[in-house]
Amino acid sequence: MVEPYFCNSIMKRAVEKGIIEYEIVNFRDYSSSAYNRVDDLTYGGGAGMLLMPEPLEKAILDRKLEKSHIIYPSARGELFSQQKAKKLSRESHLTFICGHYEGLDQRIIDRYVDDEISIGDYVLTGGEASAIVIIDAVFRLIDGVINSESLEDESFSSALLEYDQYTRPQRYCNLDVPSVLLSGNHALICSWRDSNRIAKTMHSRPDLLSKASLSLSKRKKLIKVIEEFGI
């Protein structure tokens, strides 16, 4: 499930440039039981199987991954955010343990996991999809992966959502590109984008505005947008 992600698009280029290195470890290879079994019933009863600690610990110690920053994607973990992605992007090495069934034996979490992270309030069948989400958010923040200018006005870069964007043709399905974006007046365009970001955030994620650090001019625009929304 994970391998194709590293062989496509921006990640592929980052790998080819040597900015990103990766290794996929199959901890089934470290099982000492018949048929490379890595799961068993849970103590205390209950539905579902649990990943056994021994194969995971063998994999961690064999690859010296205990020296890495180890992440366990989990529905009960800390809710993932852009700020968390920025923090993780400063780590030199990350390891993701992808759980299945009922998850991991708690003793592996207690002994080795540095971060238990949730990507949202829902449950998936395995940790691979969650790991890819976290990796994608993190690796693009590393120097050299993406032009830093492209990151400046993104959603959540300053607790505001990104502004609307348009490309050719100028008219599509009887809908026109806002005339201000065709004016060539960079000050007006900047002002329009600021107002649009505030309006988008007000409409979709008003909770973010309490976290936003806005200049006086943007606060005035916020007040104007609030008045327009009748709030």
Side-chain angles (χ1 to χ4, degrees), residues 9-208:
S9 191
I10 298 173
M11 174 59 88
K12 178 182 178 181
R13 293 196 292 272
V15 171
E16 290 175 344
K17 291 178 181 178
I19 301 172
I20 302 293
E21 294 180 359
Y22 74 96
E23 179 186 18
I24 298 173
V25 179
N26 186 352
F27 55 83
R28 288 176 66 91
D29 296 338
Y30 291 88
S31 174
S32 57
S33 65
Y35 307 109
N36 294 331
R37 183 177 177 179
V38 294
D39 62 319
D40 208 336
L41 297 171
T42 59
Y43 282 116
M49 306 291 280
L50 194 69
L51 294 177
M52 296 185 291
E54 184 181 32
L56 282 166
E57 183 168 51
K58 285 182 177 179
I60 290 170
L61 297 179
D62 182 57
R63 294 301 209 284
K64 295 182 172 56
L65 297 177
E66 74 275 17
K67 299 178 182 179
S68 174
H69 188 88
I70 298 180
I71 297 168
Y72 171 42
S74 164
R76 69 179 192 180
E78 170 192 356
L79 192 61
F80 191 53
S81 67
Q82 187 69 9
Q83 292 304 312
K84 186 66 173 181
K86 289 178 181 178
K87 183 178 179 180
L88 292 176
S89 72
R90 294 190 285 269
E91 295 284 347
S92 60
H93 195 282
L94 299 175
T95 296
F96 293 82
I97 300 178
C98 298
H100 275 260
Y101 318 118
E102 295 301 307
L104 312 184
D105 187 293
Q106 184 63 37
R107 289 165 292 188
I108 289 295
I109 299 172
D110 292 341
R111 284 171 61 84
Y112 296 108
V113 171
D114 298 299
D115 266 318
E116 204 168 344
I117 297 176
S118 168
I119 63 168
D121 295 338
Y122 47 87
V123 179
L124 301 176
T125 56
E128 291 88 352
S130 301
I132 290 173
V133 167
I134 298 168
I135 291 168
D136 192 90
V138 170
F139 97 97
R140 60 194 303 280
L141 300 176
I142 296 172
D143 289 342
V145 173
I146 293 179
N147 188 317
S148 59
E149 186 178 348
S150 299
L151 304 174
E152 290 178 0
D153 292 326
E154 288 185 322
S155 297
F156 309 112
S157 60
S158 64
L160 293 176
L161 302 181
E162 190 170 13
Y163 47 79
D164 294 341
Q165 300 200 56
Y166 301 84
T167 187
R168 293 181 178 85
Q170 184 175 332
R171 167 163 282 203
Y172 181 71
C173 294
N174 292 323
L175 297 172
D176 292 322
V177 174
S179 58
V180 65
L181 300 179
L182 309 174
S183 68
N185 187 321
H186 294 293
L188 282 178
I189 292 173
C190 183
S191 179
W192 179 88
R193 285 175 170 171
D194 283 345
S195 295
N196 187 260
R197 293 184 75 191
I198 292 171
K200 284 290 175 183
T201 308
M202 176 67 68
H203 181 266
S204 300
R205 290 292 304 277
D207 57 297
L208 295 175

